[in-house]
Amino acid sequence: MSLLSLSDVHVRFNTAAGVVQAVNGVSLDLAVGETLGLVGESGCGKSTLGKAIMRLVPVATGAIVVDGTDIAPLQGEALTAMRRKVQMIFQDPYGSLNPRSTVGRSVAQPMVIAGWAARETAERVDTLLSWVGLPADAKQRYPHEFSGGQRQRIGIARALALSPKLIICDEPVSALDVSVRAQVINLLEDLKSRFGVSYLFISHDLSVVEHIADRVAVMYLGTLVEVGGRDQIWRNPQHPYTKALLAAAPIANPKAARARQRTVLQGELPSPIDPPPGCPFHSRCPIAQERCKADRPVLRPVGSGAVAACHFV
């Protein structure tokens, strides 16, 4: 059963240089209780897509269906009510917290907006802090008094405040040390197991995605180029861009690193203001042919429940 369903979603921004096509026709499903990893180079549009699902940026066209309701056209109270089902953990655990508000006020903010009683809100804050491994007296302190990992735990507590069904994790561990990163990932997995929440996990760190995701969607220049199960993507990637991403990811085993096939990307990521015609990846693709310059490939089945947008897989 799909909790989240995207259908031909487009997000555009008007700039002095032209129209930025940040998200260009994305269709995607996320099941109840699933963790879907969204990966790609910086600037590919994955964070913009996450913000579009939260309605933090406007959607130009397309449908975003959450729990059976298309949220793309919602406004006012209807939009506020939707956000009780969908919450977000941001990349910067300090920038996402008000430095002038205590931790208790920051975590309580969703309940205050939702109209909870003061006593009920206070009890919920204590419970949330306990769930994420912070002491009760943390609510009286300010964000600058905590480490980066602790601040991200505060952000997770705030995201859980209204018992959402979906949490969008936008690079939630990229600013953390490796050891702290593992602790936060383990916390997210524990909370998922305990409450059945679903995650859209946005990251450029493939090792983290491999650990936490059930399925993986690969994004390039505002479009999806491959979607499949985690094991399918890692063991048998189909799209040349997916192969290049995996080839560039660090491997702890030196023998495995030497043995794997290398796929080196040429050139820079094209501008989303002037994307190339045909396949958006053709200008950097090692197997591109003339057809790729004119015909835009669509996602099609490539085995084991995976789909890829390439003419030659």
Side-chain angles (χ1 to χ4, degrees):
M1 178 180 176
S2 293
L3 173 63
L4 171 69
S5 182
L6 310 180
S7 179
D8 198 27
V9 173
H10 292 255
V11 178
R12 305 185 186 101
F13 300 107
N14 293 319
T15 69
V19 178
V20 176
Q21 301 180 45
V23 177
N24 195 11
V26 168
S27 297
L28 190 64
D29 291 319
L30 190 156
V32 173
E34 180 182 41
T35 297
L36 176 63
L38 183 60
V39 303
E41 292 172 280
S42 296
C44 72
K46 54 188 187 295
S47 291
T48 300
L49 181 61
K51 292 174 182 176
I53 296 169
M54 276 294 297
R55 292 287 313 280
L56 297 178
V57 297
V59 178
T61 60
I64 302 175
V65 178
V66 176
D67 202 23
T69 300
D70 184 3
I71 67 172
L74 296 184
Q75 301 291 336
E77 178 56 35
L79 181 59
T80 301
M82 178 282 296
R83 286 183 173 144
R84 297 169 189 168
K85 297 180 180 180
V86 185
Q87 288 292 304
M88 194 164 191
I89 301 169
F90 295 91
Q91 178 177 0
D92 183 356
Y94 188 68
S96 62
L97 297 171
N98 186 343
R100 297 186 178 183
S101 290
T102 63
V103 167
R105 286 200 296 269
S106 292
V107 174
Q109 189 175 27
M111 286 90 78
V112 173
I113 293 173
W116 287 31
R119 181 175 179 179
E120 186 181 15
T121 298
E123 292 175 352
R124 180 67 169 175
V125 168
D126 289 340
T127 300
L128 290 166
L129 293 177
S130 174
W131 282 347
V132 300
L134 292 174
D137 64 358
K139 63 185 178 183
Q140 300 164 351
R141 297 156 62 188
Y142 290 84
H144 73 271
E145 300 180 60
F146 296 88
S147 67
Q150 289 173 322
R151 287 196 288 262
Q152 198 58 288
R153 289 172 184 266
I154 296 166
I156 294 170
R158 182 175 59 184
L160 287 169
L162 298 177
S163 299
K165 295 184 177 182
L166 171 64
I167 296 180
I168 300 168
C169 307
D170 185 12
E171 300 271 12
V173 296
S174 64
L176 307 179
D177 293 337
V178 174
S179 59
V180 179
R181 189 178 306 171
Q183 294 172 14
V184 173
I185 291 297
N186 290 337
L187 172 62
L188 289 171
E189 290 190 310
D190 176 64
L191 294 170
K192 175 187 174 182
S193 176
R194 188 186 304 183
F195 303 113
V197 65
S198 301
Y199 295 134
L200 176 62
F201 193 93
I202 300 168
S203 180
H204 66 273
D205 190 330
L206 295 180
S207 63
V208 172
V209 174
E210 183 182 15
H211 179 78
I212 196 172
D214 301 306
R215 286 192 306 135
V216 179
V218 183
M219 196 168 185
Y220 181 81
L221 202 64
T223 67
L224 295 180
V225 298
E226 187 166 1
V227 183
R230 175 189 57 199
D231 293 341
Q232 162 75 16
I233 294 293
W234 257 260
R235 295 177 184 175
N236 190 25
Q238 296 295 305
H239 197 280
Y241 180 62
T242 307
K243 294 178 181 180
L245 285 182
L246 293 173
I251 295 180
N253 186 333
K255 291 183 178 180
R258 287 193 295 268
R260 71 180 174 181
Q261 184 178 357
R262 303 291 295 182
T263 303
V264 180
L265 290 180
Q266 304 296 325
E268 299 293 330
L269 186 71
S271 169
I273 295 177
D274 186 25
C279 174
F281 186 57
H282 82 258
S283 62
R284 305 172 73 194
C285 181
I287 64 170
Q289 300 182 26
E290 284 301 314
R291 177 185 179 186
C292 305
K293 298 178 182 179
D295 297 337
R296 184 185 181 95
V298 297
L299 290 170
R300 59 186 180 87
V302 292
S304 302
V307 292
C310 179
H311 295 304
F312 303 108
V313 297

